[in-house]
Amino acid sequence: MTATLIWILVALVAIGLYLSWTAGRLDRLHSRIDAARAALDAQLLRRASVTQELATSGMLDPAASIVLYEAAHAARQADEEHREVAESDLSQALRAVFGEPEQVQVVREAPGGDDAANELAAAVRRVPMARRFHNDAVRAARAVRRHRKVRWFRLAGHAPFPMAFEMDDEPPTALADRPT
């Protein structure tokens, strides 16, 4: 009888340790999502800020300046619910304005334009990487949260189900291939 109780106790302790380890892993994944989301937000804000600076610098023609400024302003002011759409619109505006290498060359030839073009190119290239890191962290957390043991024992606690950030982040070809 006591041997059976000891084995049951050992099994319960082992199960408890395993569940504790799984909960800790899930907590680390949620922390990773938070950090990746903060990095993504920083890169999106940087891209919008650099775009607004370029749009107000006078290096572009008035129509391109208005298109870029409005798209960047909308991306910076968008609430969380509409942020993906606003950021996609900014990507489309950047592709529309800087789709041709000639437009980038016009900016580079302006005083201070080379630095502005390099800064925009760097910001545009970093957004897809930051989004990929965020979505990879979300994918990993979702995989763990799909397991029955996580649902049955509520190991995720009250953490919201992680959502991927889906947007059009394809950079303009004229900016994507530029070295910084």
Side-chain angles (χ1 to χ4, degrees):
M1 176 88 169
T2 58
T4 305
L5 288 176
I6 290 174
W7 281 112
I8 290 173
L9 184 62
V10 167
L12 288 176
V13 167
I15 290 170
L17 286 173
Y18 178 71
L19 291 176
S20 175
W21 176 81
T22 303
R25 179 173 177 230
L26 194 55
D27 185 50
R28 288 188 301 276
L29 286 171
H30 282 150
S31 296
R32 190 172 130 202
I33 289 171
D34 291 342
R37 181 58 187 239
L40 175 61
D41 287 341
Q43 292 304 324
L44 291 172
L45 182 62
R46 182 172 182 253
R47 180 180 75 155
S49 298
V50 170
T51 301
Q52 275 187 322
E53 286 178 22
L54 186 62
T56 58
S57 68
M59 294 180 204
L60 300 170
D61 63 272
S65 292
I66 290 171
V67 167
L68 286 179
Y69 183 83
E70 287 181 354
H73 181 71
R76 289 182 74 176
Q77 299 299 320
D79 59 350
E80 200 59 37
E81 197 173 297
H82 300 100
R83 182 128 189 238
E84 293 172 348
V85 174
E87 294 293 347
S88 294
D89 291 345
L90 178 56
S91 295
Q92 292 169 1
L94 285 166
R95 278 197 310 273
V97 172
F98 294 109
E100 298 298 322
E102 294 80 25
Q103 184 67 33
V104 176
Q105 192 58 35
V106 167
V107 170
R108 287 187 179 279
E109 290 170 356
D114 199 40
D115 291 337
N118 286 339
E119 191 175 355
L120 181 62
V124 163
R125 279 196 307 268
R126 287 183 180 142
V127 167
M129 285 189 291
R131 189 176 75 86
R132 196 170 313 121
F133 288 140
H134 175 267
N135 288 348
D136 287 346
V138 167
R139 196 173 305 112
R142 283 181 172 181
V144 171
R145 287 184 71 156
R146 273 191 221 113
H147 291 118
R148 279 188 215 118
K149 66 180 176 280
V150 173
R151 290 192 315 263
W152 287 350
F153 293 103
R154 299 178 188 242
L155 298 181
H158 296 289
F161 194 74
M163 300 301 290
F165 193 86
E166 297 300 331
M167 64 171 269
D168 174 10
D169 62 1
E170 183 181 334
T173 55
L175 288 174
D177 300 331
R178 290 295 215 194
T180 57

